[in-house]
Amino acid sequence: MTTQLEKAVREALDQLTDAPPPPDLAQAAIRRAGRQRTARLVAAGVAAVAAAVVAVPLAIGGLASPGDNPPPARMGPGTAAKPFVVTAYSGVNNPGDPGPADDYSLLLDPDTGEYDKVPYNEVVPSPDGSQVLVHEGDNSLAHPSRRGVLNRESGEVRWLPGNAGYTSGASWSPDGRQILITNRPKDNNGAGFLLVDAATLAAEQVEVPDVSTQNTNGLAFVWAPDGTEVALTHSVNVSESEPGRVTGIGFYDLAGKPTRTLPVNGGSLNEGSGFSPDGSRIALDNRFVNDQIQIVDATTGAVQHEFSVPTADAVVGWYDDVHLILKDYGDRNLTERPNLKVVDLTGKVTQTVPFAEGSDTAQRVFVGSSADLGTAAEKLAF
């Protein structure tokens, strides 16, 4: 689903309610989530792709008991040739319902190589893999939105207070201590972002006055690589025939004060996955217009590389200094399923990684280190 479509759906749902959801509905959602979430999530170390907040979600597994068999052997030396694995598919469409309320996500079990279904329509793992941001609901009266932090070891979710109906684009700071959530109230009053302390869930609302006028594409704030700034792709509606023209990338300190604007006009920075490993370059995608990818200098905005991958959907992250990982929606004639493509900076495809069964409609795909995979999951590394 494109951001523009998501925005239209959100606005339609907004019209259904101008008030917080009744508490009885929220409690029903809590009970439902509790029934569906009885298994323990196994914690393990993970690595992010470049500076992106695309950390490794690990598995759902049964509760361990004394005397259980030891875990499978882990991948040892020599795995650097295949350093990554798809670890999560977030927001998989449930065909039984047209809305996102009952969408689900899939998390990789690193021991078995199977993807386990979890009852959240968004999952975003922390950099160290010990916690994961989860989201459920669709901001309707029947399914109020809320966000929480899932502890993988215990399987417990700590829910952020209040209705999360007007927030989007949640991501972890590079050090895993804070959570950034884009805040777009219906009336634009206080629009900006929320900074949430990951340990206490205390939230600070940071207002950014120009976000309502310079974000017509409805994109999310993302973390800059050093964690002291956030960035937002600026866009404006020039005319009916040219809505959402990208005008630059604005950088802000954590108090919401503008620090600089990077002059770009060929694509958008998406959810923190565009910064190169050393932070010197940014990968921008223009999937709303022509599937074009631009690599720009992070200081000047100068275009260094520009190419097109006809079926590219989004930049997932950097594979290394000279390759990107792209989410690809597959062949338009349905002869190729959705997949990830590793491409060089000319657009040449060097690897294709098919999506796992049942994940074709995932909104986001996360990748992480393959170093901690069990032998049964080694085949998934790329």
Side-chain angles (χ1 to χ4, degrees):
M1 184 183 297
T2 68
T3 302
Q4 290 175 325
L5 179 56
E6 289 173 350
K7 182 180 178 183
V9 172
R10 181 171 64 83
E11 289 175 351
L13 291 170
D14 286 346
Q15 295 174 9
L16 298 177
T17 175
D18 288 321
D24 56 323
L25 290 174
Q27 289 302 318
I30 292 172
R31 289 193 295 272
R32 175 176 175 271
R35 288 195 299 270
Q36 292 178 310
R37 196 75 183 97
T38 58
R40 178 175 65 88
L41 289 171
V42 180
V46 296
V49 174
V53 187
V54 284
V56 181
L58 295 182
I60 299 173
L63 289 168
S65 302
D68 282 353
N69 293 328
R74 299 297 181 181
M75 297 178 73
T79 61
K82 294 185 176 182
F84 296 116
V85 65
V86 176
T87 55
Y89 296 92
S90 178
V92 181
N93 179 55
N94 185 339
D97 189 301
D102 65 347
D103 289 355
Y104 58 89
S105 298
L106 300 174
L107 297 179
L108 173 67
D109 182 325
D111 292 333
T112 67
E114 300 295 326
Y115 288 92
D116 295 303
K117 185 176 178 179
V118 292
Y120 308 112
N121 54 27
E122 183 181 358
V123 294
V124 184
S126 64
D128 69 356
S130 65
Q131 301 184 93
V132 58
L133 295 173
V134 298
H135 179 275
E136 65 180 15
D138 60 6
N139 200 31
S140 65
L141 284 173
H143 305 287
S145 295
R146 61 177 183 165
R147 295 185 183 276
V149 177
L150 170 70
N151 182 296
R152 285 188 170 162
E153 186 172 3
S154 68
E156 295 180 356
V157 178
R158 296 176 296 139
W159 295 103
L160 276 69
N163 179 8
Y166 304 116
T167 64
S168 64
S171 59
W172 294 86
S173 62
D175 64 7
R177 295 181 179 181
Q178 290 182 293
I179 300 165
L180 172 67
I181 304 176
T182 300
N183 188 35
R184 293 182 291 182
K186 189 175 181 180
D187 59 3
N188 285 322
N189 184 29
F193 56 86
L194 303 175
L195 285 178
V196 180
D197 183 282
T200 66
L201 298 191
E204 176 188 0
Q205 182 172 325
V206 180
E207 186 173 354
V208 180
D210 62 359
V211 70
S212 59
T213 58
Q214 295 195 64
N215 189 19
T216 57
N217 283 335
L219 297 177
F221 283 92
V222 301
W223 288 98
D226 65 1
T228 65
E229 291 183 311
V230 298
L232 176 70
T233 301
H234 288 170
S235 54
V236 297
N237 290 330
V238 177
S239 64
E240 238 180 80
S241 61
E242 193 179 1
R245 178 197 288 178
V246 171
T247 60
I249 297 176
F251 287 81
Y252 306 83
D253 66 19
L254 299 188
K257 180 182 177 181
T259 58
R260 63 191 175 100
T261 299
L262 192 66
V264 301
N265 57 21
S268 304
L269 176 61
N270 295 301
E271 313 230 359
S273 58
F275 290 96
S276 64
D278 63 2
S280 67
R281 293 169 292 169
I282 303 175
L284 306 175
D285 68 57
N286 201 9
R287 64 187 185 276
F288 298 131
V289 180
N290 57 11
D291 301 314
Q292 190 177 67
I293 307 296
Q294 277 190 349
I295 309 299
V296 302
D297 184 280
T299 302
T300 66
V303 177
Q304 298 179 343
H305 303 275
E306 193 168 30
F307 58 89
S308 182
V309 177
T311 54
D313 181 44
V315 174
V316 173
W318 289 72
Y319 187 84
D320 55 29
D321 288 330
V322 292
H323 292 84
L324 294 175
I325 304 172
L326 305 180
K327 179 174 177 282
D328 189 289
Y329 54 75
D331 189 273
R332 295 181 186 275
N333 297 320
L334 304 180
T335 59
E336 182 183 29
R337 291 182 54 230
N339 56 76
L340 293 184
K341 281 186 167 59
V342 179
V343 302
D344 67 18
L345 300 187
T346 70
K348 179 182 177 182
V349 177
T350 60
Q351 290 191 68
T352 298
V353 183
F355 277 19
E357 203 65 39
S359 64
D360 285 5
T361 58
Q363 298 302 302
R364 293 187 66 190
V365 180
F366 293 86
V367 301
S369 173
S370 63
D372 210 36
L373 292 179
T375 53
E378 291 179 8
K379 61 184 182 294
L380 300 176
F382 67 95

